[in-house]
């Protein structure tokens, strides 16, 4: 099954509008009004990318140390990586699957990734409140 077909099937299951391929040859799947996942074809495989939270300017070093621990061997991120966007204003979560997968595995991978995005949004907000 090709990426286009998988994205269409996923959108149908979620009851959302089917995303179109953008200029960067990626699909921006709007999971809800606050969360979108960009899906790219790696041929073979796929990558997922999403904004996790605004990057704090207070206690930034402490936050980065906390996030580096989560990134270590992918233990706190399910194999994904927490990083920064190009402007260093937004924390992002990204993961790559450099192999082909069937639709069921693709759907479960998207679900797991979204769960990690939601989790890290909450953790970063909690970190900000505590510090």
């Amino acid at each position: 099954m090709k990426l286009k077909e998988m994205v269409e099937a996923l959108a149908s299951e979620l009851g959302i509008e089917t995303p179109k391929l953008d200029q960067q040859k990626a699909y921006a799947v709007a999971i809800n009004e606050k969360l979108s996942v960009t899906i790219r074809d790696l041929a073979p495989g796929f990558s997922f990318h999403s904004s996790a939270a605004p990057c704090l300017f207070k206690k930034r070093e402490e936050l980065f140390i906390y996030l580096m621990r989560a990134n270590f061997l992918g233990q706190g991120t399910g194999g994904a990586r927490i990083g920064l966007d190009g402007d260093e204003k937004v924390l992002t979560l990204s993961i790559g699957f450099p192999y082909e997968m069937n639709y069921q595995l693709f759907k479960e991978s998207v679900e797991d990734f979204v769960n990690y995005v939601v989790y890290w949004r909450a953790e970063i907000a909690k970190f900000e409140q505590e510090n």
Side-chain angles (χ1 to χ4, degrees), residues 72-84:
F72 183 65
L73 301 176
Q75 293 175 9
T77 59
R81 294 157 310 281
I82 299 172
L84 284 169

Side-chain angles (χ1 to χ4, degrees), residues 30-126:
I31 304 299
N32 60 37
E33 60 278 346
K34 294 181 181 182
L35 199 153
S36 177
V37 175
T38 301
I39 302 174
R40 284 191 173 77
D41 195 347
L42 296 179
F46 313 102
S47 71
F48 304 151
H49 179 87
S50 184
S51 295
C55 187
L56 309 173
F57 289 99
K58 298 177 193 171
K59 305 274 187 176
R60 201 170 199 190
E61 186 175 338
E62 290 88 345
L63 175 64
F64 288 169
I65 291 168
Y66 178 60
L67 297 176
M68 284 173 37
R69 287 187 187 124
N71 274 345
F72 183 65
L73 301 176
Q75 293 175 9
T77 59
R81 294 157 310 281
I82 299 172
L84 284 169
D85 71 344
D87 297 330
E88 297 184 4
K89 293 182 179 177
V90 178
L91 292 164
T92 62
L93 193 66
S94 304
I95 192 167
F97 301 95
Y99 48 85
E100 294 296 325
M101 58 178 76
N102 62 30
Y103 174 71
Q104 185 63 35
L105 183 57
F106 174 80
K107 183 179 88 167
E108 290 170 2
S109 298
V110 170
E111 183 179 345
D112 290 343
F113 181 76
V114 167
N115 287 337
Y116 275 103
V117 172
V118 170
Y119 171 79
W120 279 105
R121 284 183 175 183
E123 283 296 302
I124 293 165
K126 188 169 83 174

